[in-house]
């Protein structure tokens, strides 16, 4: 891309060019709305810029931290409004880059400040820790996951199975949800090694007491495979794309 996204970031965030889109998470028990993930979209002029074109770049600097807090604050504002409007509110997960852990020793306080500013009941939020950086120490990660847990805010391991998510991190920290990455979804039950790993990832999550959700669910075959393996939470295009807030409110 020819835009220098880091250069135009300060102006863009000031002008609120970043929008929160909500992608529903669906219960496969009764196909009800079980939650949502907040995903950033950048509306620059009349064009949309997608996260893969700027998140990795922002993670090289400190822009990602500013953007994640902006997203968290906008989500809290929406939840506050939904509560005040008397809607049935569901849990929304917000992505927080691990980059924060390296940059901000007071991350927990900074997250809680934003949440409490809007007086959002903690049960309506979940933090998805995305992983992109190796530079984060175990202690920093442990402090933040423990701290959120003590504040009754759920946490999920995003993209489980790829990158740097190690078994050690799963064993040692009080996570609530394991999110299985779409790259682990088999095409069908005859998809050899892929299917065996998928099946065991789900049972690992469940057997250690974590909720399990699979992302990238695109077909009815995917849905069947989840149900056959007793995983009852799904997110993906088969159900919904990430929706602008007004459409999500209709869906709610
Ligand atoms: P992610 O956290 O793994 O989010 C899921 C991505 O999968 C989203 O891409 C979503 O639109 C896409 N997706 C959902 N359902 C399907 C499906 O059925 N099939 C396929 N092929 N894809 C599906 P998106 O919105 O482009 O975001 C890409 C990544 O950018 C996210 O991956 C996340 O790592 C990052 N990201 C997005 N918003 C934020 C944010 O506010 N903060 C941070 N730190 N990272 C963010
Ligand atoms: Ca995520
Ligand atoms: Ca993911």
């Amino acid at each position: 891309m020819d835009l220098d996204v880091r250069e135009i970031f300060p102006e863009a965030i000031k002008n609120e060019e970043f929008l929160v889109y909500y992608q529903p998470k669906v219960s496969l028990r009764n196909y009800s709305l079980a939650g949502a993930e907040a995903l950033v979209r950048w509306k620059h002029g009349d064009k949309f810029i997608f996260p893969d074109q700027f998140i990795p770049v922002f993670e090289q600097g400190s822009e990602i931290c500013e953007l994640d807090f902006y997203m968290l604050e906008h989500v809290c504002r929406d939840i506050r409004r939904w509560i005040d409007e008397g809607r049935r509110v569901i849990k929304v997960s917000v992505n927080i880059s691990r980059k924060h852990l390296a940059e901000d020793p007071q991350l927990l306080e900074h997250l809680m400040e934003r949440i409490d500013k809007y007086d959002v009941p903690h049960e309506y939020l979940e933090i998805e820790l995305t992983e992109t950086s190796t530079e984060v120490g175990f202690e920093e990660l442990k402090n933040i996951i423990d701290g959120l847990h003590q504040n009754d805010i759920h946490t999920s391991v995003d993209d489980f199975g790829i990158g740097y998510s190690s078994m050690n991190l799963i064993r040692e920290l009080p996570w609530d949800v394991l999110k299985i990455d779409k790259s682990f979804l088999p095409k069908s039950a005859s998809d050899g090694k892929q299917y065996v790993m998928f099946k065991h990832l789900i049972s690992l999550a469940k057997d250690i007491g974590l909720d399990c959700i699979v992302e990238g669910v695109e077909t009815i075959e995917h849905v069947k495979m989840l149900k056959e393996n007793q995983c009852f939470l799904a997110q993906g295009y088969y159900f919904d794309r990430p929706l602008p807030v007004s459409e999500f409110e209709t869906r709610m």
Side-chain angles (χ1 to χ4, degrees):
M1 189 167 60
D2 39 8
L3 276 177
D4 183 343
V5 290
R6 286 185 72 183
E7 195 182 309
I8 59 177
F9 174 78
E11 194 66 16
I13 200 154
K14 208 166 70 200
N15 296 337
E16 307 225 356
E17 291 179 12
F18 296 96
L19 307 176
V20 183
Y21 273 46
Y22 291 92
Q23 185 176 36
K25 297 177 183 175
V26 175
S27 160
L28 301 184
R29 293 183 197 278
N30 54 12
Y31 296 97
S32 64
L33 197 59
E37 176 175 9
L39 292 158
V40 67
R41 293 292 178 266
W42 185 353
K43 191 159 190 293
H44 186 62
D46 53 4
K47 286 198 310 282
F48 274 93
I49 313 177
F50 285 86
D52 57 334
Q53 293 176 287
F54 59 87
I55 297 280
V57 185
F58 291 170
E59 280 183 329
Q60 291 164 19
S62 56
E63 290 89 358
I64 192 65
C65 300
E66 209 181 319
L67 180 62
D68 284 349
F69 281 133
Y70 170 103
M71 290 289 289
L72 176 65
E73 208 159 328
H74 281 70
V75 167
C76 288
R77 219 155 72 179
D78 283 341
I79 296 177
R80 180 74 257 157
R81 185 168 51 79
W82 296 333
I83 295 172
D84 295 344
E85 289 170 357
R87 292 174 188 269
R88 189 184 71 90
V89 182
I90 49 166
K91 198 191 277 297
V92 177
S93 62
V94 177
N95 289 286
I96 296 290
S97 164
R98 285 199 191 186
K99 181 84 188 177
H100 289 261
L101 297 168
E103 302 254 311
D104 182 0
Q106 284 176 302
L107 176 60
L108 180 66
E109 289 78 357
H110 291 150
L111 292 171
M112 298 315 301
E113 259 166 36
R114 274 153 179 107
I115 296 166
D116 293 337
K117 176 168 158 197
Y118 295 93
D119 208 11
V120 169
H122 296 177
E123 66 192 276
Y124 293 139
L125 281 169
E126 180 173 308
I127 299 293
E128 294 194 10
L129 257 289
T130 60
E131 45 167 350
T132 40
S133 108
T134 43
E135 59 198 286
V136 172
F138 177 77
E139 281 309 312
E140 285 91 341
L141 189 60
K142 180 166 169 40
N143 285 342
I144 189 79
I145 301 301
D146 281 342
L148 289 167
H149 183 74
Q150 281 154 16
N151 279 286
D152 297 317
I153 296 190
H154 281 188
T155 52
S156 60
V157 187
D158 204 354
D159 299 338
F160 181 69
I162 57 172
Y164 303 103
S165 57
S166 74
M167 287 293 183
N168 186 40
L169 293 183
I170 307 300
R171 185 186 53 204
E172 298 298 327
L173 306 180
W175 303 97
D176 299 282
V177 183
L178 206 132
K179 226 176 167 185
I180 297 180
D181 186 66
K182 46 186 168 285
S183 62
F184 279 95
L185 252 176
K187 287 190 192 64
S188 71
S190 54
D191 199 352
K193 199 170 10 178
Q194 181 83 357
Y195 185 74
V196 175
M197 289 182 75
F198 175 73
K199 187 170 122 165
H200 287 284
L201 279 175
I202 294 175
S203 60
L204 170 73
K206 285 172 12 107
D207 292 351
I208 58 177
L210 298 180
D211 283 339
C212 180
I213 180 165
V214 178
E215 61 184 2
V217 172
E218 292 182 347
T219 63
I220 184 71
E221 286 72 29
H222 287 159
V223 173
K224 283 189 195 137
M225 276 188 294
L226 263 68
K227 289 169 85 168
E228 271 160 24
N229 289 291
Q230 313 292 312
C231 174
F232 294 105
L233 272 179
Q235 182 181 341
Y237 300 161
Y238 180 73
F239 296 105
D240 304 89
R241 297 199 163 248
L243 306 171
V245 64
S246 57
E247 273 179 52
F248 178 66
E249 285 171 1
T250 310
R251 178 80 166 77
M252 254 183 1

